[in-house]
Amino acid sequence: MTDQITPSGSSPDPKQLSLFDEDELDIADYLRQEAEPPPEHGPRQGFAALTLGAIGVVYGDIGTSPIYAFREALRPVTDADGVNRAEVLGLLSLLIWTLILIVTVKYVIFLLRADNRGEGGVLALYTLVRLAIGRRSIPVLALALMGSALFFGDAILTPAISVLSAVEGVELVMPSLDRFVVPATLVILLVLFLVQRGGTARIAVLFGPITLVWFLVLAGLGLWHIGENPEVLLAFNPLYGLRFLVSHEIVAFTVLGAVFLAVTGAEALYADLGHFGRPPIIVAWLALVFPALVLNYLGQGALVLADPATVADPFFEMAPKSALPFLVAMATAATVIAAQAVISGAFSMARGAMQLGLLPRMMIRHTAQDQSGQIYIPAINWWLLFGVMWLVIAFGSSSALASAYGIAVTGTMVITTILVILYVWQSGRLPLIGAILVALPIAVLELAFLASNLVKVADGGYVPLAIGAVMAVVMWAWWRGTQVLLARAHKQSVPLASFVRSMARTSAQVVPGTAFFLSPDPEVVPTALLHNLKHNRVLHEQVVFLTVESLRVPYAEPEERASYEKLSDRFGQVILRFGFMETPNVSRAMGAARRAGLKFDVMTSTFFLGRRRAVAAGQPGFGRALDRLYALLSRLAADPSDYYHIPRDRIVELGERVAI
């Protein structure tokens, strides 16, 4: 049986998606986990600790942008006819106002308020829109698919360009080491991905302090050079940026793509909302991150004005020769932290996609007992490692990778803006025209950035587009196949209410104990029960229909975790609910089922699972190709017993082949 979403014909709760399946686990773990409290989620630390954590995790990516953003923005101008005062001030103005409009206005002031029970990110925003609409919308689903797919493209590019750009600083310390830049980068990245298996909870406590020092270094270097040339403060005047765009019509489009590198990582403000909360993220940005970034960019501009020879790498040239090794070490540490944050974000995104039925089940391991967000997904980890390694080897330098970077981020930002407009409109906060007018300035700016990045498709921009396209096809094939499979199974199903009434006069032999029959649809009889009656002619003295539902909210509240309904003297129904940011754990949730009224003996209970093996049988064409992909993905999906955590030694599986 495959992960399934309740079709519209079964009239599900509009706040929920039913995508259960089949599963198992060890009886000792069952007894232990049932007594354990669930892992905590959301902010639980003090405000200062959360703010420090946000500095390390939320802003790790955007904090490494000064290493390459200003350098890449200068490159098109320098290649044309050198660089002059007006051009430097114009580029600085564009960088500063991009940070103000995209990060401060869009994300910090507005988007952080659009949370789903404290959670953010493109999937959380999608669920908000879906709930506001009140029905399934294929266009909205397509936006969520594209946004998620582009995020995975960004998750591959960020570690590659961040770490590579930092390690390249050793060339200034010792030029003879340039041939070791790529090998050293590969080693650092390999170690980073290998340690994911054991979790990063222990070393994560260092992320905040290290990144805090990093931002202080950025600000200090910037202030030092601004003091030597305070004229760069004129860049706060947006007219300098506008004049640059008007007077550089030929290269302005290319420059915009490079300027956008300054805000890569801004999406993390929204995606990590549930981990730290709105106030710590806002305070960290306004009190430290934003001032440090602006000061550093202004300092780089002041250095270039004072010494045009530093235009090739103004960031590392800011430090005196004696302090350069320290700066390279700090930059490397900061980029590793930024890469780690993106990897963790990819794990969270994948888990949410699985729970919403957009990806097949994959093995999820919790690496910290007290934090549900600390997870490790082996399949995603090794896929990311392969992609990152290939990018470093294929492109060889951060400048080459810069051409590929940006498309995924700008695409995700544009999709986020569209979803926000739909949410504000559908939730009744503003009429459609009003929502569009409010978002129009940001949308126009983001579309300009997206268009400027699309120009670089041939120079490497095809990479995130290709990755995003592959991921989008995979997610669409899985969602589509799941819908088709459940719809066909539903046509042949037996209504649960009539079945329970008919079984009052059954001639089947009754055996002691409790049988849990897992069902993706709480309104029909599980096929595993029908097959068991047909072939074995036995029925347990207590039969419980067990359905696991994925809510359209990040986390289920304790009171909504489980519900139990007694259908007759012999039959009962349990529904277990998990948020889309939770890992379904049936063993632990059975404690909540007991509190809801279910009575059973663990030692005399058996779980019956129905496995459906999908077989592509349609007419040749694109639909048939998607069906074949779905069938392949269903075979590669993680064992449901491990995914749902059900007692492994109390499982009976019954299988069937279903044509789609």
Side-chain angles (χ1 to χ4, degrees):
M1 187 183 298
T2 52
D3 289 339
Q4 299 176 357
I5 300 175
T6 305
S8 56
S10 62
S11 301
D13 186 329
K15 294 186 177 181
Q16 301 168 355
L17 284 173
S18 174
L19 46 71
F20 194 71
D21 240 42
E22 58 248 22
D23 315 78
E24 352 170 337
L25 201 124
D26 182 81
I27 189 65
D29 288 341
Y30 180 90
L31 294 171
R32 173 178 56 80
Q33 293 181 8
E34 187 180 353
E36 287 180 355
E40 292 187 353
H41 59 266
R44 291 292 185 272
Q45 301 169 282
F47 182 80
L50 287 170
T51 303
L52 184 61
I55 291 171
V57 176
V58 176
Y59 298 109
D61 188 2
I62 198 171
T64 60
S65 297
I67 300 176
Y68 49 79
F70 187 56
R71 179 193 69 195
E72 295 304 318
L74 283 169
R75 193 178 301 277
V77 180
T78 306
D79 290 345
D81 56 0
V83 64
N84 57 47
R85 171 184 174 275
E87 290 169 337
V88 171
L89 292 177
L91 291 174
L92 290 175
S93 181
L94 290 173
L95 287 166
I96 292 171
W97 282 96
T98 297
L99 288 170
I100 292 174
L101 294 175
I102 297 294
V103 184
T104 306
V105 175
K106 175 185 174 180
Y107 285 95
V108 174
I109 295 179
F110 290 108
L111 200 55
L112 289 183
R113 300 178 183 276
D115 65 288
N116 189 342
R117 288 194 183 180
E119 286 291 330
V122 66
L123 288 182
L125 186 55
Y126 157 70
T127 59
L128 284 175
V129 177
R130 172 67 175 80
L131 288 172
I133 295 175
R135 56 180 174 78
R136 187 170 65 192
S137 171
I138 297 300
V140 174
L141 175 63
L143 287 172
L145 289 177
M146 290 188 290
S148 303
L150 288 172
F151 177 87
F152 285 112
D154 179 42
I156 291 180
L157 281 161
T158 295
I161 190 173
S162 297
V163 177
L164 188 56
S165 64
V167 176
E168 285 173 345
V170 303
E171 297 179 14
L172 297 176
V173 179
M174 192 175 297
S176 60
L177 296 178
D178 62 338
R179 65 181 182 277
F180 296 108
V181 168
V182 170
T185 300
L186 294 175
V187 170
I188 292 172
L189 290 169
L190 179 61
V191 173
L192 175 63
F193 281 94
L194 288 178
V195 301
Q196 299 300 317
R197 182 187 182 109
T200 58
R202 293 181 180 178
I203 62 173
V205 296
L206 299 176
F207 289 177
I210 291 174
T211 311
L212 173 62
V213 174
W214 169 251
F215 281 115
L216 292 176
V217 169
L218 293 181
L221 289 173
L223 283 171
W224 176 30
H225 289 283
I226 292 172
E228 296 179 347
N229 195 346
E231 183 186 16
V232 293
L233 295 175
L234 293 172
F236 279 103
N237 186 344
L239 291 178
Y240 281 95
L242 294 176
R243 288 170 185 165
F244 176 89
L245 295 177
V246 172
S247 61
H248 292 74
E249 296 178 357
I250 298 177
V251 299
F253 214 52
T254 305
V255 167
L256 280 178
V259 168
F260 185 80
L261 296 175
V263 294
T264 55
E267 194 73 20
L269 274 77
Y270 188 43
D272 289 322
L273 178 59
H275 294 102
F276 301 98
R278 185 184 302 117
I281 293 176
I282 294 175
V283 170
W285 173 256
L286 296 178
L288 175 68
V289 179
F290 176 63
L293 293 175
V294 171
L295 288 173
N296 192 265
Y297 286 125
L298 290 173
Q300 290 186 50
L303 176 63
V304 171
L305 287 177
D307 183 5
T310 61
V311 71
D313 204 339
F315 176 78
F316 286 109
E317 294 284 1
M318 294 177 77
K321 294 296 182 182
S322 59
L324 192 54
F326 168 76
L327 184 60
V328 172
M330 282 297 302
T332 303
T335 54
V336 168
I337 292 172
Q340 173 60 54
V342 172
I343 295 170
S344 298
F347 291 159
S348 297
M349 175 71 77
R351 178 171 66 174
M354 282 185 273
Q355 283 293 84
L356 290 175
L358 304 178
L359 282 177
R361 290 184 311 267
M362 287 177 275
M363 179 67 67
I364 298 177
R365 298 175 184 172
H366 286 268
T367 58
Q369 293 183 352
D370 59 343
Q371 296 182 24
S372 63
Q374 291 284 339
I375 60 174
Y376 167 68
I377 304 179
I380 298 296
N381 189 66
W382 303 128
W383 177 71
L384 288 177
L385 174 61
F386 172 79
V388 169
M389 294 293 219
W390 174 78
L391 285 176
V392 173
I393 295 173
F395 286 84
S397 71
S398 60
S399 293
L401 269 173
S403 298
Y405 205 35
I407 292 181
V409 184
T410 50
T412 303
M413 286 186 175
V414 170
I415 290 172
T416 300
T417 300
I418 295 173
L419 289 174
V420 168
I421 293 173
L422 292 174
Y423 172 62
V424 171
W425 170 42
Q426 291 292 338
S427 62
R429 286 169 169 79
L430 285 175
L432 179 59
I433 298 300
I436 293 175
L437 290 176
V438 170
L440 188 60
I442 300 296
V444 170
L445 181 60
E446 289 177 341
L447 288 171
F449 281 129
L450 178 60
S452 63
N453 277 284
L454 288 174
V455 174
K456 300 183 292 186
V457 168
D459 295 327
Y462 62 87
V463 173
L465 291 178
I467 295 171
V470 170
M471 287 301 303
V473 169
V474 167
M475 289 190 285
W476 176 255
W478 183 258
W479 183 87
R480 175 184 177 275
T482 297
Q483 297 298 308
V484 171
L485 193 65
L486 183 57
R488 293 190 178 181
H490 197 271
K491 291 180 180 179
Q492 304 171 358
S493 62
V494 177
L496 184 61
S498 60
F499 174 81
V500 171
R501 289 193 298 268
S502 67
M503 293 305 293
R505 299 178 299 276
T506 180
S507 60
Q509 181 180 353
V510 178
V511 297
T514 300
F516 289 92
F517 286 90
L518 275 71
S519 172
D521 188 340
E523 297 186 2
V524 302
V525 181
T527 56
L529 175 55
L530 298 177
H531 287 310
N532 189 51
L533 282 172
K534 177 180 179 180
H535 298 291
N536 299 325
R537 301 292 302 167
V538 297
L539 196 67
H540 285 70
E541 60 183 359
Q542 180 177 226
V543 176
V544 179
F545 303 107
L546 175 61
T547 298
V548 172
E549 292 182 343
S550 180
L551 304 179
R552 294 188 181 277
V553 293
Y555 300 97
E557 298 295 339
E559 61 271 13
E560 63 185 346
R561 175 70 73 197
S563 62
Y564 172 69
E565 180 184 0
K566 191 173 180 63
L567 303 177
S568 70
D569 292 339
R570 176 167 295 155
F571 295 96
Q573 184 175 65
V574 169
I575 298 179
L576 302 179
R577 302 176 181 89
F578 299 90
F580 66 83
M581 291 300 293
E582 295 181 283
T583 301
N585 191 318
V586 171
S587 297
R588 182 179 288 118
M590 292 307 289
R594 285 185 186 277
R595 292 189 291 274
L598 174 63
K599 297 180 180 179
F600 68 100
D601 181 1
V602 173
M603 303 307 297
T604 60
S605 298
T606 305
F607 289 82
F608 288 83
L609 312 176
R611 283 186 179 268
R612 288 195 180 108
R613 181 175 178 178
V615 180
Q619 296 295 323
F622 183 65
R624 175 73 173 272
L626 291 177
D627 292 339
R628 288 183 177 274
L629 178 57
Y630 175 80
L632 174 63
L633 292 172
S634 64
R635 289 165 177 74
L636 297 177
D639 191 290
S641 61
D642 295 323
Y643 183 76
Y644 289 107
H645 299 85
I646 303 178
R648 182 173 294 154
D649 59 348
R650 314 201 74 80
I651 291 277
V652 175
E653 294 187 7
L654 301 170
E656 62 177 323
R657 292 166 63 93
V658 179
I660 61 173

